[in-house]
């Protein structure tokens, strides 16, 4: 009895060993070889796979600069507008020109202003990304005579379009989410149509092109 029991106990590890061997073999057949390198393109985000391109900018005539709006800007903002590598558009409403924040960088410029009722921001960039797998498409709306996208997200109305080869994105947010002014896209469209050109550094921007 002791011998049979001992033999049975010695047989259990052998069965388990056989079953494990079969399972491991099955797993090895189903799994890809460990030495197969992963596809680097699949591991990268879409934005990392495409190098940004500097768009060709068509500058408005110097005579089209809105001198009134430019004079209404604080000195720091006016200086940033003159140094911009993209044509700078700003709202024509005087209350939005009293104390804005205008930042100009190598490829983009931003405008930000706030009143008691609304906050307005406008980004302008000459960088673009073109994905071979994604065909170009036109926005279903029209802003400043160009195809555009007009959207709303959490009370913020946005309009985006391309003008003079530059991508513009205008955001408007009301101080109160229930404000009638932000109940529709009328405000963001009105602000977009009222944007005026206040300048930029065309010669310097032209020198950046390859």
């Amino acid at each position: 009895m002791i011998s049979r029991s001992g033999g049975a106990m010695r047989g259990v590890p052998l069965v388990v060993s056989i079953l494990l061997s079969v399972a491991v073999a099955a797993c090895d057949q189903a799994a890809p070889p460990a030495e197969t390198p992963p596809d680097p393109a699949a591991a990268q985000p879409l934005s990392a796979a495409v190098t940004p391109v500097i768009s060709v900018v068509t500058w408005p005539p110097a005579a089209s600069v809105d001198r009134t709006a430019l004079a209404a800007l604080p000195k720091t903002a006016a200086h940033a507008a003159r140094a911009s590598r993209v044509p700078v558009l700003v709202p024509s409403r005087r209350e939005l020109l009293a104390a804005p924040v205008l930042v100009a960088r190598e490829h983009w410029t931003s405008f930000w202003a706030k009143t008691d009722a609304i906050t307005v921001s406008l980004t302008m960039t000459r960088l673009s990304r073109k994905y071979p797998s994604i065909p170009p498409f036109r926005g279903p709306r029209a802003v400043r005579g160009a195809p555009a996208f007009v959207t709303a997200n959490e009370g913020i109305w946005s309009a985006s379009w391309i003008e003079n080869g530059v991508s513009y994105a205008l955001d408007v947010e009301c101080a109160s989410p229930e404000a009638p002014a932000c109940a529709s896209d009328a405000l963001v469209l009105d602000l977009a149509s009222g944007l005026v050109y206040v300048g930029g550094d065309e010669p310097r921007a032209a020198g950046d092109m390859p």
Side-chain angles (χ1 to χ4, degrees):
M1 293 294 293
I2 294 176
S3 175
R4 292 195 190 98
S5 176
M9 291 299 293
R10 285 192 299 270
V12 171
L14 178 60
V15 172
V16 173
S17 177
I18 294 173
L19 291 176
L20 286 175
S21 298
V22 173
V24 169
C27 290
D28 287 344
Q29 293 174 359
E35 62 272 13
T36 302
D39 182 4
Q44 292 181 352
L46 190 60
S47 60
V50 178
T51 302
V53 177
I54 302 177
S55 302
V56 177
V57 177
T58 303
W59 287 82
S64 65
V65 170
D66 191 308
R67 303 292 175 183
T68 301
L70 182 60
L73 290 172
K75 290 183 178 180
T76 303
H79 176 75
R82 294 189 185 97
S84 173
R85 311 263 183 111
V86 298
V88 178
L89 301 181
V90 298
S92 54
R93 297 187 182 187
R94 293 297 295 268
E95 66 271 20
L96 293 171
L97 301 178
V101 176
L102 208 156
V103 179
R105 293 292 183 263
E106 182 179 4
H107 298 301
W108 58 268
T109 296
S110 66
F111 172 94
W112 180 92
K114 184 178 182 179
T115 68
D116 292 339
I118 60 174
T119 299
V120 176
S121 66
L122 176 64
T123 57
M124 313 157 235
T125 179
R126 59 179 179 168
L127 291 181
S128 62
R129 285 185 170 91
K130 297 181 180 180
Y131 302 93
S133 59
I134 303 177
F137 51 95
R138 296 163 60 92
R141 305 290 298 275
V143 170
R144 300 175 62 83
F149 295 93
V150 179
T151 60
N153 183 30
E154 296 184 354
I156 300 175
W157 281 96
S158 302
S160 57
W161 70 99
I162 296 177
E163 182 175 344
N164 298 318
V166 176
S167 297
Y168 293 89
L170 175 67
D171 293 338
V172 182
E173 181 179 11
C174 287
S176 171
E178 292 78 24
C182 284
S184 71
D185 59 13
L187 177 59
V188 69
L189 292 177
D190 181 66
L191 286 169
S193 65
L195 294 172
V196 294
Y197 173 56
V198 293
D201 194 342
E202 180 179 357
R204 189 180 180 190
D208 296 334
M209 299 303 296

